[in-house]
Amino acid sequence: INKRWDVDEDEVQALSASMSFKCALVDVPFGGSKGTIRVEPRNWSIHEIERMVRRYTHELIKRNLIGPDENVPGQDYGTSDQDMGWISDTYGQEASDKRDAAACVTGKPVSMGGLRERRSATGRGLYFSLREVCANKKDMQKLGLGTGIEGKRFVVQGLGKVGYWAAKFLVENGAILVGLSEIEGAITNEKGIDLEKAMEYRRDHKTFLNFPDAINLSAPADIFELLCDIIVPAALENQITMTNVRKIKAPIFLEGANGPVSARASDLLFKLGKFCIADIFANAGGVIVSYFEWVQGLQQFFWDDADVNRKLFGVLDRAFNQVMQR
């Protein structure tokens, strides 16, 4: 479920189809669905948002469109564990079997049966996906790069649940962050940006702009034109299109968002010899860990953090090898 002011029915249907392909690819026994509340969250109070989410949940219940054996929503753009907690609580108030509330939705607070690792799962999955690709010597040679993540320069668009954690894991494993982009603008430093200091600056100033250790770019989209090895678009769809695709210098695309590269731009990137790690594999970490949380809710089988991360890598590794064999 997401909350966005500019969403429409066609986009929801496309995202639902994408989720179907993603679950099939990583062999998670979910189907595919997507839902949205068309609203700009920043324009409403927390109490108003809660009323919207609870009413939305009530309408799903009334139509038999939510339940542990029917449809299990999870987090997406604009939603948080708090939203998922409201959904679980509302479902529990109306369900005949109160235990179903723990398995009717994923991405809940830990205190309500959620998994601590769910918050970082999509970003961790991005890191695992990139690590597998960068380990292939033949593919890296084609791109003029060495193997491994260490020393590779990257930029990130979007520092939410996906982009921040992906950047954090990449930096921790030796990659160099040279650009950040958010709704208010973008910054760069070719020698590297300290991710945590930049995040702290944004919390204090409500913007990345004028961060002391970086240079402001003219527009958020300029992040894609920087000289680097990896681009991580982790915000919204259709950020790289035919209008800007030829200006891109990076040889690797790691799709954190759903559909960040348009279909025509994707075809052109392939013809230009770029390597694109598609969203239906790269950002599948979220739905994989959602499956673990669903199992936990159904069976009261509790996972520890290390077990979740080990199994997440195992699922992605198996899917990656199956794709490469084909």
Side-chain angles (χ1 to χ4, degrees), residues 262-274:
S262 71
R264 291 181 62 200
S266 181
D267 290 341
L268 182 55
L269 287 174
F270 180 77
K271 293 177 182 177
L272 293 173
K274 310 287 187 180

Side-chain angles (χ1 to χ4, degrees), residues 1 20 42 185 187 197 247 252 261 296 309 315:
I1 293 175
S20 299
R42 289 170 296 186
I187 59 174
K197 285 184 178 179
K247 300 176 183 178
I252 300 176
V261 183
Q296 176 173 283
N309 291 331
V315 174

Side-chain angles (χ1 to χ4, degrees), residues 27 31 33-34 44 66 111 174 197 244 274 300 320 325:
D27 202 23
S33 69
K34 186 65 66 172
W44 301 85
I66 185 173
S111 61
K197 285 184 178 179
N244 63 354
K274 310 287 187 180
Q300 297 298 292
F320 178 79
Q325 288 173 6

Side-chain angles (χ1 to χ4, degrees), residues 9-234:
E9 186 175 346
D10 289 341
E11 182 181 333
V12 174
Q13 290 178 347
L15 290 173
S16 178
S18 176
M19 182 60 73
S20 299
F21 302 144
K22 187 179 303 182
C23 291
L25 178 64
V26 297
D27 202 23
V28 167
F30 289 153
S33 69
K34 186 65 66 172
T36 188
I37 299 174
R38 187 170 183 175
V39 63
E40 173 51 78
R42 289 170 296 186
N43 295 340
W44 301 85
S45 72
I46 189 68
H47 301 295
E48 291 168 324
I49 293 293
E50 179 182 0
R51 290 174 61 189
M52 292 179 197
V53 173
R54 289 186 181 275
R55 183 63 188 183
Y56 180 83
T57 306
H58 173 75
E59 293 299 323
L60 292 178
I61 295 169
K62 188 167 66 174
R63 292 165 171 78
N64 196 31
L65 292 175
I66 185 173
D69 301 315
E70 180 64 33
N71 183 32
V72 184
Q75 292 184 34
D76 203 334
Y77 187 88
T79 52
S80 65
D81 55 357
Q82 184 174 55
D83 294 294
M84 303 300 108
W86 289 331
I87 293 173
S88 177
D89 183 62
T90 304
Y91 188 90
Q93 292 173 23
E94 302 193 32
S96 56
D97 188 341
K98 305 303 180 185
R99 294 174 299 179
D100 287 350
C104 79
V105 64
T106 65
K108 304 179 296 297
V110 174
S111 61
M112 298 181 70
L115 285 174
R116 194 173 3 258
E117 291 298 306
R118 176 62 182 85
R119 179 171 296 182
S120 62
T122 307
R124 191 181 295 275
L126 287 174
Y127 161 67
F128 284 156
S129 302
L130 182 64
R131 188 178 71 180
E132 290 293 290
V133 168
C134 290
N136 189 302
K137 184 176 181 179
K138 184 178 180 180
D139 286 337
M140 291 301 100
Q141 285 179 337
K142 288 180 180 178
L143 300 175
L145 300 174
T147 57
I149 287 176
E150 187 173 1
K152 287 187 169 58
R153 299 155 61 83
F154 74 101
V155 301
V156 177
Q157 181 201 37
L159 268 294
K161 295 184 292 291
V162 179
Y164 166 73
W165 287 102
K168 178 179 175 64
F169 294 132
L170 289 176
V171 169
E172 287 178 351
N173 286 275
I176 302 168
L177 176 64
V178 297
L180 293 173
S181 175
E182 258 294 349
I183 190 169
E184 71 271 10
I187 59 174
T188 183
N189 184 338
E190 62 180 14
K191 296 181 179 180
I193 296 171
D194 187 311
L195 175 64
E196 299 304 333
K197 285 184 178 179
M199 294 296 289
E200 182 180 359
Y201 181 88
R202 189 174 191 243
R203 283 192 292 270
D204 293 341
H205 297 83
K206 311 302 179 187
T207 179
F208 283 126
L209 297 178
N210 301 316
F211 179 57
D213 297 327
I215 300 170
N216 294 343
L217 297 177
S218 299
D222 291 349
I223 197 82
F224 298 129
E225 300 177 27
L226 294 177
L227 185 63
C228 61
D229 302 310
I230 304 159
I231 289 177
V232 187

